[in-house]
Amino acid sequence: GGNKHANDEALMVRADSYLGAEPVSATQTRLFFHDPIRSAEGFGRITITLTHANAANGGGFKNVVRAVGAAINRDNPGNSGFVVFADEEADNADITGAATKTGGVEYEE
């Protein structure tokens, strides 16, 4: 038992495995995906906790859900069927300058 995948840094799941989301706080949202093979919880799902800006700063639960929905439903023949979600690392021993976020929302509605 136990969550042997708790420290994974990457994940690939089918878009149709998205089950939904729940707000955790003003700056965290949980995303749920169906995956009976890698499920650490035993419920046939994977839980991803996403840390984001609050609503006043362009983040918040509603904006996260809109972004996920827009990305999953986007029809882009040039993407070979893949939708990529990426985050930015915080500054650490290997990366500097990453904590300074630039740009804005990068999804289409």
Side-chain angles (χ1 to χ4, degrees):
N3 189 348
K4 62 184 174 182
H5 303 291
N7 295 317
D8 285 357
E9 294 185 13
L11 168 75
M12 185 167 79
V13 293
R14 294 169 45 121
D16 64 0
S17 72
Y18 176 66
L19 298 172
E22 74 174 352
V24 177
S25 69
T27 58
Q28 286 194 322
T29 296
R30 281 194 191 105
L31 304 175
F32 300 100
F33 297 90
H34 177 70
D35 187 342
I37 295 171
R38 289 179 43 100
S39 173
E41 301 175 353
F43 301 119
R45 71 180 188 189
I46 296 172
T47 303
I48 305 297
T49 302
L50 177 68
T51 301
H52 50 76
N54 63 23
N57 290 316
F61 177 73
K62 289 182 182 179
N63 282 331
V64 168
V65 172
R66 284 186 195 117
V68 170
I72 287 174
N73 291 302
R74 185 168 184 223
D75 182 18
N76 181 357
N79 68 3
S80 301
F82 284 90
V83 177
V84 177
F85 289 90
D87 69 354
E88 297 179 40
E89 294 280 346
D91 286 355
N92 59 42
D94 299 316
I95 302 171
T96 58
T100 305
K101 308 298 188 233
T102 58
V105 177
E106 298 180 16
Y107 65 90
E108 297 178 7
E109 292 189 60

